[in-house]
Amino acid sequence: MKKVVYKFYYDFEKEEKWLNEMSSKGFALVDFFMGKYTFEECEKGEYIYRIELLENLVSDPKSIEYINFLEETGVQHVASSFRWAFFRKKASLGQFDIYSDVDSKIGHYKKIVGFFSVLAFAEITIGISNINLGTHVHTEISGVNSVLGLFCFLIGIVFVSISLRFSGKINKLKKEKIIKE
Amino acid sequence: MEGNIDKIVLTEAVYYILLSIYTPMHGYGIMQNVSELSNGRVNLGPGTLYGAINTLLEKKWILPLIEDLNSRKKEYLITDLGKEIVKNEIVRLEELVKNGKKIRGEN
């Protein structure tokens, strides 16, 4: 039996946690498209889910090569969206972390900081120019511009905070690296 | 080039990856072998292994074997340069162990 849930996440770690909670309740993600999550019934806790930001778009040959490599190791590629990929592995095959050492974890976090910094910059720029437009140029749609601008600006702030959170994680890992591998 | 190859300090993961491919092995085989060698202590994540393999290929410490037509899986083998690096690493590790034991009076 299929179960469809519509949900919006901007924080992929919370999203990953939710997918694992769903799996532990017996619902395994089988498809994702623009906030539409499709689940199929599975044994409780059958799969471990991981979400990864890839270097390139999922359709890029480099990404395909990478995904093929992961699939050789018992990982299933469940769904993807732009550069984000949803992976799962049967829990019976043992633990599943895509990155197992400090350096490669830092590498992944750096990609995430880059991704959200670009988005944050775009949203804030669009936001401020719309607010400017809304307050300085008086037309019938000034109000729309202001509201839209404020909305973009706030999303931008959320992205900034995600970037900062992962920058913090990078710094923490770098400190650990001084004393251990 | 690297500069001095006897100054290289390997990560635990890379050391075990290189040891694993003294005989040809594909990615998943390397993961399992490393886990076995370390009694389950070192579990390589597939993303970490993929990054390591690509870097080792660039450095020519390992090489890819011509793909078996019946299999999509690519196998890897350590090169002479890679073996040299491992040899130097063992000398370094022996020094660490020797000094540790000496100071703790365990000889």
Side-chain angles (χ1 to χ4, degrees):
Chain A
M1 203 191 75
K2 287 201 174 176
K3 179 186 173 86
V4 172
V5 180
Y6 292 90
K7 229 171 150 98
F8 175 74
Y9 276 104
Y10 55 80
D11 184 335
F12 77 96
E13 283 191 316
K14 285 185 183 150
E15 186 179 12
E16 187 182 277
K17 194 165 167 251
W18 176 63
L19 294 177
N20 283 311
E21 280 166 10
M22 290 298 282
S23 167
S24 67
K25 287 178 196 157
F27 296 101
L29 182 78
V30 288
D31 197 19
F32 170 82
F33 181 72
M34 303 285 271
K36 183 187 176 199
Y37 297 82
T38 309
F39 295 89
E40 269 174 11
E41 281 182 63
C42 66
E43 278 171 42
K44 285 183 180 169
E46 189 175 344
Y47 296 101
I48 302 167
Y49 282 84
R50 294 285 175 241
I51 299 173
E52 186 183 4
L53 179 65
L54 304 180
E55 192 83 45
N56 304 289
L57 287 175
V58 177
S59 54
D60 189 278
K62 279 185 192 155
S63 298
I64 293 171
E65 197 189 304
Y66 174 65
I67 292 168
N68 284 341
F69 183 88
L70 256 58
E71 285 182 337
E72 284 172 22
T73 69
V75 174
Q76 293 173 310
H77 176 222
V78 176
S80 40
S81 167
F82 305 102
R83 281 173 61 197
W84 294 93
F86 297 74
F87 295 111
R88 74 177 182 188
K89 190 174 172 179
K90 287 224 172 194
S92 58
L93 293 175
Q95 69 181 79
F96 175 35
D97 286 304
I98 293 174
Y99 295 109
S100 55
D101 69 3
V102 178
D103 283 312
S104 50
K105 271 180 202 154
I106 290 177
H108 187 219
Y109 289 162
K110 277 188 177 164
K111 264 186 265 173
I112 290 161
V113 170
F115 179 83
F116 282 106
S117 299
V118 170
L119 283 187
F121 180 76
E123 292 285 348
I124 288 173
T125 310
I126 294 168
I128 289 177
S129 33
N130 268 292
I131 292 169
N132 264 334
L133 213 64
T135 45
H136 296 309
V137 186
H138 294 283
T139 62
E140 283 163 18
I141 58 157
S142 298
V144 178
N145 272 328
S146 298
V147 172
L148 196 75
L150 189 66
F151 184 68
C152 288
F153 184 78
L154 291 177
I155 293 177
I157 297 298
V158 170
F159 290 160
V160 168
S161 77
I162 296 175
S163 286
L164 289 176
R165 185 152 53 86
F166 281 93
S167 299
K169 285 188 186 204
I170 291 172
N171 287 335
K172 216 174 140 192
L173 286 177
K174 279 188 177 163
K175 261 188 207 160
E176 275 184 42
K177 255 195 74 170
I178 295 173
I179 56 157
K180 60 179 190 162
E181 199 184 300
Chain B
M1 272 310 282
E2 317 285 339
N4 256 342
I5 66 163
D6 55 356
K7 291 268 169 65
I8 296 169
V9 178
L10 299 181
T11 64
E12 186 175 77
V14 164
Y15 178 69
Y16 271 145
I17 291 168
L18 290 174
L19 282 187
S20 297
I21 49 178
Y22 268 69
T23 52
M25 213 171 257
H26 55 74
Y28 189 46
I30 296 172
M31 280 168 72
Q32 287 177 316
N33 192 57
V34 168
S35 178
E36 256 170 52
L37 279 176
S38 65
N39 291 320
R41 189 177 57 82
V42 183
N43 287 297
L44 290 177
T48 299
L49 177 60
Y50 186 79
I53 285 177
N54 283 326
T55 308
L56 294 174
L57 285 170
E58 269 171 39
K59 289 181 178 292
K60 301 201 163 58
W61 295 6
I62 70 174
L63 52 89
L65 292 184
I66 294 152
E67 276 170 79
D68 181 352
L69 290 176
N70 300 318
S71 160
R72 274 195 334 186
K73 291 179 185 176
K74 207 183 262 179
E75 288 193 321
Y76 304 93
L77 188 65
I78 190 166
T79 60
D80 287 342
L81 176 59
K83 286 180 183 170
E84 192 68 17
I85 308 274
V86 169
K87 198 182 90 191
N88 288 327
E89 177 68 359
I90 292 172
V91 172
R92 189 186 73 87
L93 292 171
E94 275 171 345
E95 177 214 288
L96 293 176
V97 172
K98 196 185 84 190
N99 283 326
K101 284 190 171 169
K102 195 164 89 188
I103 287 174
R104 286 172 48 88
E106 286 176 19
N107 264 334

PDB file of all heavy atoms in Angstrom, chain A residues 148-161:
ATOM      1  N   LEU A 148       6.367  40.241  -1.159  1.00  0.00           N
ATOM      2  CA  LEU A 148       7.206  39.235  -1.814  1.00  0.00           C
ATOM      3  C   LEU A 148       8.675  39.427  -1.416  1.00  0.00           C
ATOM      4  O   LEU A 148       9.388  38.479  -1.100  1.00  0.00           O
ATOM      5  CB  LEU A 148       7.050  39.397  -3.340  1.00  0.00           C
ATOM      6  CG  LEU A 148       7.530  38.227  -4.169  1.00  0.00           C
ATOM      7  CD1 LEU A 148       6.519  37.091  -4.073  1.00  0.00           C
ATOM      8  CD2 LEU A 148       7.703  38.649  -5.626  1.00  0.00           C
ATOM      9  N   GLY A 149       9.074  40.713  -1.421  1.00  0.00           N
ATOM     10  CA  GLY A 149      10.459  41.034  -1.070  1.00  0.00           C
ATOM     11  C   GLY A 149      10.788  40.586   0.337  1.00  0.00           C
ATOM     12  O   GLY A 149      11.825  39.964   0.582  1.00  0.00           O
ATOM     13  N   LEU A 150       9.878  40.867   1.265  1.00  0.00           N
ATOM     14  CA  LEU A 150      10.101  40.498   2.658  1.00  0.00           C
ATOM     15  C   LEU A 150      10.189  38.970   2.787  1.00  0.00           C
ATOM     16  O   LEU A 150      11.046  38.423   3.487  1.00  0.00           O
ATOM     17  CB  LEU A 150       8.953  41.031   3.525  1.00  0.00           C
ATOM     18  CG  LEU A 150       9.157  40.895   5.024  1.00  0.00           C
ATOM     19  CD1 LEU A 150      10.325  41.780   5.478  1.00  0.00           C
ATOM     20  CD2 LEU A 150       7.893  41.289   5.790  1.00  0.00           C
ATOM     21  N   PHE A 151       9.324  38.292   2.048  1.00  0.00           N
ATOM     22  CA  PHE A 151       9.301  36.829   2.064  1.00  0.00           C
ATOM     23  C   PHE A 151      10.647  36.269   1.584  1.00  0.00           C
ATOM     24  O   PHE A 151      11.256  35.423   2.251  1.00  0.00           O
ATOM     25  CB  PHE A 151       8.152  36.341   1.169  1.00  0.00           C
ATOM     26  CG  PHE A 151       7.963  34.863   1.175  1.00  0.00           C
ATOM     27  CD1 PHE A 151       7.521  34.197   2.311  1.00  0.00           C
ATOM     28  CD2 PHE A 151       8.234  34.110   0.025  1.00  0.00           C
ATOM     29  CE1 PHE A 151       7.358  32.821   2.313  1.00  0.00           C
ATOM     30  CE2 PHE A 151       8.084  32.741   0.028  1.00  0.00           C
ATOM     31  CZ  PHE A 151       7.629  32.093   1.175  1.00  0.00           C
ATOM     32  N   CYS A 152      11.139  36.780   0.442  1.00  0.00           N
ATOM     33  CA  CYS A 152      12.439  36.331  -0.085  1.00  0.00           C
ATOM     34  C   CYS A 152      13.543  36.625   0.926  1.00  0.00           C
ATOM     35  O   CYS A 152      14.423  35.797   1.164  1.00  0.00           O
ATOM     36  CB  CYS A 152      12.776  37.050  -1.390  1.00  0.00           C
ATOM     37  SG  CYS A 152      11.789  36.503  -2.765  1.00  0.00           S
ATOM     38  N   PHE A 153      13.482  37.828   1.499  1.00  0.00           N
ATOM     39  CA  PHE A 153      14.506  38.236   2.449  1.00  0.00           C
ATOM     40  C   PHE A 153      14.553  37.263   3.633  1.00  0.00           C
ATOM     41  O   PHE A 153      15.616  36.808   4.044  1.00  0.00           O
ATOM     42  CB  PHE A 153      14.206  39.659   2.938  1.00  0.00           C
ATOM     43  CG  PHE A 153      15.251  40.210   3.858  1.00  0.00           C
ATOM     44  CD1 PHE A 153      16.450  40.692   3.350  1.00  0.00           C
ATOM     45  CD2 PHE A 153      15.044  40.233   5.229  1.00  0.00           C
ATOM     46  CE1 PHE A 153      17.430  41.192   4.197  1.00  0.00           C
ATOM     47  CE2 PHE A 153      16.028  40.733   6.089  1.00  0.00           C
ATOM     48  CZ  PHE A 153      17.212  41.219   5.564  1.00  0.00           C
ATOM     49  N   LEU A 154      13.373  36.902   4.141  1.00  0.00           N
ATOM     50  CA  LEU A 154      13.329  35.988   5.294  1.00  0.00           C
ATOM     51  C   LEU A 154      13.864  34.602   4.936  1.00  0.00           C
ATOM     52  O   LEU A 154      14.594  33.982   5.711  1.00  0.00           O
ATOM     53  CB  LEU A 154      11.889  35.888   5.832  1.00  0.00           C
ATOM     54  CG  LEU A 154      11.373  37.163   6.504  1.00  0.00           C
ATOM     55  CD1 LEU A 154       9.921  36.995   6.926  1.00  0.00           C
ATOM     56  CD2 LEU A 154      12.246  37.541   7.697  1.00  0.00           C
ATOM     57  N   ILE A 155      13.506  34.118   3.740  1.00  0.00           N
ATOM     58  CA  ILE A 155      14.055  32.817   3.304  1.00  0.00           C
ATOM     59  C   ILE A 155      15.576  32.909   3.233  1.00  0.00           C
ATOM     60  O   ILE A 155      16.300  32.012   3.665  1.00  0.00           O
ATOM     61  CB  ILE A 155      13.466  32.407   1.942  1.00  0.00           C
ATOM     62  CG1 ILE A 155      11.971  32.103   2.081  1.00  0.00           C
ATOM     63  CG2 ILE A 155      14.183  31.166   1.389  1.00  0.00           C
ATOM     64  CD1 ILE A 155      11.289  31.766   0.772  1.00  0.00           C
ATOM     65  N   GLY A 156      16.047  34.059   2.703  1.00  0.00           N
ATOM     66  CA  GLY A 156      17.494  34.282   2.625  1.00  0.00           C
ATOM     67  C   GLY A 156      18.146  34.167   3.994  1.00  0.00           C
ATOM     68  O   GLY A 156      19.195  33.539   4.146  1.00  0.00           O
ATOM     69  N   ILE A 157      17.479  34.752   5.010  1.00  0.00           N
ATOM     70  CA  ILE A 157      18.023  34.697   6.372  1.00  0.00           C
ATOM     71  C   ILE A 157      18.079  33.240   6.876  1.00  0.00           C
ATOM     72  O   ILE A 157      19.045  32.821   7.504  1.00  0.00           O
ATOM     73  CB  ILE A 157      17.159  35.553   7.342  1.00  0.00           C
ATOM     74  CG1 ILE A 157      17.191  37.025   6.922  1.00  0.00           C
ATOM     75  CG2 ILE A 157      17.617  35.400   8.783  1.00  0.00           C
ATOM     76  CD1 ILE A 157      18.566  37.666   6.961  1.00  0.00           C
ATOM     77  N   VAL A 158      17.049  32.465   6.546  1.00  0.00           N
ATOM     78  CA  VAL A 158      17.051  31.047   6.937  1.00  0.00           C
ATOM     79  C   VAL A 158      18.254  30.342   6.299  1.00  0.00           C
ATOM     80  O   VAL A 158      18.971  29.585   6.951  1.00  0.00           O
ATOM     81  CB  VAL A 158      15.734  30.350   6.505  1.00  0.00           C
ATOM     82  CG1 VAL A 158      15.836  28.842   6.692  1.00  0.00           C
ATOM     83  CG2 VAL A 158      14.557  30.895   7.313  1.00  0.00           C
ATOM     84  N   PHE A 159      18.499  30.634   5.006  1.00  0.00           N
ATOM     85  CA  PHE A 159      19.637  30.003   4.318  1.00  0.00           C
ATOM     86  C   PHE A 159      20.964  30.440   4.923  1.00  0.00           C
ATOM     87  O   PHE A 159      21.893  29.648   5.042  1.00  0.00           O
ATOM     88  CB  PHE A 159      19.597  30.324   2.818  1.00  0.00           C
ATOM     89  CG  PHE A 159      18.473  29.629   2.083  1.00  0.00           C
ATOM     90  CD1 PHE A 159      18.022  30.102   0.850  1.00  0.00           C
ATOM     91  CD2 PHE A 159      17.872  28.489   2.612  1.00  0.00           C
ATOM     92  CE1 PHE A 159      16.993  29.453   0.168  1.00  0.00           C
ATOM     93  CE2 PHE A 159      16.843  27.843   1.933  1.00  0.00           C
ATOM     94  CZ  PHE A 159      16.402  28.331   0.716  1.00  0.00           C
ATOM     95  N   VAL A 160      21.036  31.717   5.314  1.00  0.00           N
ATOM     96  CA  VAL A 160      22.255  32.190   5.977  1.00  0.00           C
ATOM     97  C   VAL A 160      22.484  31.390   7.252  1.00  0.00           C
ATOM     98  O   VAL A 160      23.587  30.931   7.538  1.00  0.00           O
ATOM     99  CB  VAL A 160      22.163  33.701   6.318  1.00  0.00           C
ATOM    100  CG1 VAL A 160      23.292  34.120   7.268  1.00  0.00           C
ATOM    101  CG2 VAL A 160      22.229  34.537   5.045  1.00  0.00           C
ATOM    102  N   SER A 161      21.397  31.171   8.004  1.00  0.00           N
ATOM    103  CA  SER A 161      21.573  30.466   9.278  1.00  0.00           C
ATOM    104  C   SER A 161      21.990  29.007   9.047  1.00  0.00           C
ATOM    105  O   SER A 161      22.784  28.462   9.803  1.00  0.00           O
ATOM    106  CB  SER A 161      20.300  30.563  10.124  1.00  0.00           C
ATOM    107  OG  SER A 161      19.328  29.672   9.639  1.00  0.00           O
TER     108      SER A 161
END
